[in-house]
C-alpha cells in the first residue's frame, strides 16, 4: 500500500490548524507539531490510513535544520510529499496574535515591548523557515477566510505529485498584492468591463465579459505575451526541480480582467502541465453571496 504524505508548515498564526482540519475531513491521519527528527520514524509506522499529514513549524526550531535531509531520504524511498507552506503578511500575523493574546513561539521575554518582541519573533521565524518555503506550495492566508483556505488545501492535495504544478490566481490590487505568487502580471491597463453598464455586475467567468475582453486586441496581445514568457521559462523551472509555480494576474478589483486572463491562460497551459485556477476575490464574493441568499431568502410557506 503506497503512502501519501502531506507536510504542512508555515508561519505561526497563518492557519495551520485550519489546514489540518481540512485534511482530516479529506481522510488524512493528522499529527500536529511533529518534531522534524521524528518524521522518518513516523512514516515507517504502520498507519490505519494510507494518507497521513503532519504539521512542522517553528515550535520545533531546534530540529528544523534536519528537515531537508529527512525530506531527501523520503524521496529516495519513492515518497514525494505534498509540501504546503502557509504565509501571511507581518501586519496580519501581528493582528492575529494581538486578538488571541497568544505568545509567539520565538518572541523573547527579555524585550519589554510586546509589540516589538512579536515583530522580531515573526522575522526570526521567516528566516528559519525560508528554505522550506522555497520548496513548498505557498498559500498567502492574509485575506483568506477559513473556508477558502480549506478549499485551497484540498485543491493542492488533489494534484498528483511528480510533475510541476501551475497555479494561476486572479486578485485585485486594491486588496493588496498576494505574497505567494512567483510571478505577477498587472493587467490594469487593459479595457475595463466595469465601465460597461451591462457588464459591471458580472465577472470574468461570465460569457458576455469574456466575449467583450476577447474582442479587444490589447487583451489578446497581453495574453500572448504572458504565454510566450511562460512557454520559454517553465521548462527550465521544471528542470530546476520546482514542484509548484504560482502566477498572479491582477486588475483593480479582481472581478473582470484578471479573472478572464487566468481562465484563458489555464486553458492554454493545462494541456501540458497540471494546472489549478484560483480567484481570490471571487471565492470570497461567492461565499458571501451564498450566505446572504441563505439568510435573505423568504421562509417557505406553511402548508
Amino acid at each position: 500500500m503506497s503512502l501519501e504524505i502531506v507536510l504542512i508548515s508555515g508561519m505561526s498564526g497563518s492557519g495551520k490548524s485550519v489546514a489540518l482540519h481540512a485534511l482530516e475531513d479529506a481522510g488524512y491521519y493528522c499529527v500536529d507539531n511533529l518534531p522534524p527528527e521524528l518524521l522518518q520514524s513516523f512514516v515507517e509506522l504502520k498507519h490505519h490510513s494510507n494518507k497521513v499529514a503532519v504539521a512542522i513549524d517553528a515550535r520545533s526550531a531546534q530540529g528544523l535544520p534536519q528537515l531537508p535531509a529527512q525530506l531527501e531520504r523520503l524521496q529516495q524511498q519513492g515518497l514525494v510529499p505534498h509540501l504546503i507552506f502557509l504565509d501571511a503578511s507581518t501586519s496580519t500575523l501581528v493582528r492575529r496574535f494581538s486578538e488571541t493574546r497568544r505568545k509567539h513561539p520565538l518572541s523573547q521575554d527579555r524585550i519589554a515591548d510586546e509589540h516589538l518582541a512579536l515583530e522580531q519573533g515573526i522575522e526570526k521565524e521567516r528566516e528559519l523557515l525560508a528554505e522550506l518555503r522555497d520548496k513548498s506550495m505557498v498559500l498567502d492566508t492574509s485575506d483568506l477566510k477559513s473556508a477558502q483556505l480549506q478549499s485551497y488545501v484540498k485543491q493542492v492535495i488533489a494534484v498528483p505529485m511528480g510533475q510541476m504544478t501551475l497555479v494561476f490566481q486572479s486578485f485585485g490590487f486594491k486588496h493588496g498584492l498576494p505574497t505567494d505568487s512567483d510571478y505577477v502580471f498587472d493587467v490594469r491597463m487593459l479595457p475595463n468591463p466595469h465601465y460597461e453598464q451591462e457588464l459591471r455586475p458580472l465577472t470574468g467567468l461570465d460569457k458576455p465579459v469574456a466575449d467583450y475582453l476577447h474582442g479587444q486586441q490589447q487583451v489578446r496581445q497581453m495574453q500572448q505575451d504572458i504565454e510566450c514568457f511562460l512557454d520559454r521559462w517553465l521548462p527550465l523551472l521544471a528542470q530546476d526541480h520546482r514542484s509548484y509555480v504560482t502566477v498572479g494576474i491582477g486588475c483593480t478589483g479582481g472581478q473582470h480582467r484578471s479573472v478572464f486572463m487566468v481562465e484563458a491562460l489555464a486553458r492554454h497551459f493545462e494541456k501540458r502541465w497540471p494546472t489549478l485556477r484560483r480567484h481570490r476575490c471571487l471565492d470570497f464574493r461567492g461565499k458571501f453571496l451564498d450566505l446572504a441568499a441563505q439568510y435573505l431568502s423568504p421562509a417557505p410557506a406553511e402548508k
Side-chain angles (χ1 to χ4, degrees):
M1 180 176 64
S2 61
L3 186 65
E4 184 177 341
I5 308 171
V6 179
L7 174 61
I8 298 283
S9 187
M11 302 296 294
S12 301
S14 61
K16 293 187 293 296
S17 296
V18 174
L20 280 180
H21 288 156
L23 292 168
E24 284 181 339
D25 291 343
Y28 284 78
Y29 177 73
C30 298
V31 175
D32 190 14
N33 195 21
L34 182 74
E37 55 268 32
L38 297 181
L39 179 59
Q40 183 69 35
S41 299
F42 173 75
V43 170
E44 292 172 354
L45 292 174
K46 290 187 177 180
H47 301 281
H48 68 273
S49 172
N50 65 336
K51 301 191 297 184
V52 298
V54 297
I56 297 177
D57 53 43
R59 290 173 292 178
S60 303
Q62 292 184 342
L64 281 175
Q66 302 180 34
L67 189 54
Q70 296 267 11
L71 294 174
E72 185 176 349
R73 193 172 299 120
L74 289 179
Q75 292 179 349
Q76 291 172 353
Q77 297 171 5
L79 299 173
V80 182
H82 286 278
L83 303 180
I84 303 176
F85 189 98
L86 305 184
D87 203 351
S89 65
T90 298
S91 60
T92 298
L93 296 175
V94 168
R95 174 176 54 79
R96 290 175 181 172
F97 271 97
S98 299
E99 289 174 350
T100 61
R101 306 300 298 172
R102 290 170 50 207
K103 181 182 177 181
H104 191 278
L106 299 183
S107 62
Q108 301 179 38
D109 293 327
R110 62 182 177 82
I111 300 178
D113 187 331
E114 290 186 10
H115 186 85
L116 179 60
L118 178 55
E119 287 194 342
Q120 289 186 357
I122 290 172
E123 294 311 312
K124 182 178 180 181
E125 185 176 29
R126 288 197 190 283
E127 295 176 6
L128 192 63
L129 297 174
E131 183 177 357
L132 183 57
R133 187 186 193 277
D134 289 342
K135 298 178 181 295
S136 306
M137 158 69 81
V138 181
L139 296 178
D140 181 359
T141 70
S142 300
D143 57 356
L144 294 185
K145 302 299 181 184
S146 295
Q148 284 178 280
L149 176 55
Q150 290 182 3
S151 176
Y152 289 173
V153 169
K154 291 176 181 178
Q155 285 180 358
V156 172
I157 62 175
V159 178
M161 293 296 292
Q163 188 178 5
M164 188 175 70
T165 299
L166 300 183
V167 181
F168 291 99
Q169 68 173 349
S170 64
F171 69 94
F173 276 98
K174 72 178 184 180
H175 302 298
L177 190 70
T179 62
D180 53 2
S181 292
D182 297 293
Y183 298 98
V184 172
F185 295 94
D186 184 351
V187 299
R188 286 176 291 183
M189 76 292 292
L190 300 179
N192 193 351
H194 176 79
Y195 296 111
E196 302 294 327
Q197 191 69 29
E198 68 278 9
L199 301 180
R200 181 176 299 181
L202 304 179
T203 77
L205 298 176
D206 294 309
K207 189 175 185 301
V209 174
D211 290 342
Y212 169 83
L213 289 171
H214 185 71
Q216 307 290 327
Q217 191 275 333
Q218 292 175 318
V219 175
R220 296 195 303 273
Q221 185 63 56
M222 173 67 80
Q223 178 183 340
Q224 182 180 346
D225 289 347
I226 297 175
E227 288 174 354
C228 287
F229 175 85
L230 294 176
D231 280 333
R232 179 181 180 87
W233 296 109
L234 286 178
L236 291 178
L237 288 169
Q239 291 177 22
D240 196 38
H241 306 291
R242 290 287 296 272
S243 298
Y244 304 96
V245 173
T246 300
V247 180
I249 308 292
C251 61
T252 304
Q255 179 179 342
H256 296 109
R257 294 165 291 182
S258 60
V259 173
F260 167 82
M261 192 64 70
V262 160
E263 292 295 320
L265 293 170
R267 284 193 299 271
H268 175 81
F269 286 98
E270 67 186 1
K271 301 167 187 174
R272 286 167 289 166
W273 307 92
T275 302
L276 297 176
R277 297 168 169 85
R278 224 183 267 156
H279 301 297
R280 296 179 70 93
C281 297
L282 294 194
D283 289 343
F284 174 72
R285 178 175 179 263
K287 288 179 172 58
F288 175 79
L289 292 177
D290 290 343
L291 188 62
Q294 175 184 343
Y295 283 98
L296 295 178
S297 58
E302 295 184 1
K303 294 183 179 180

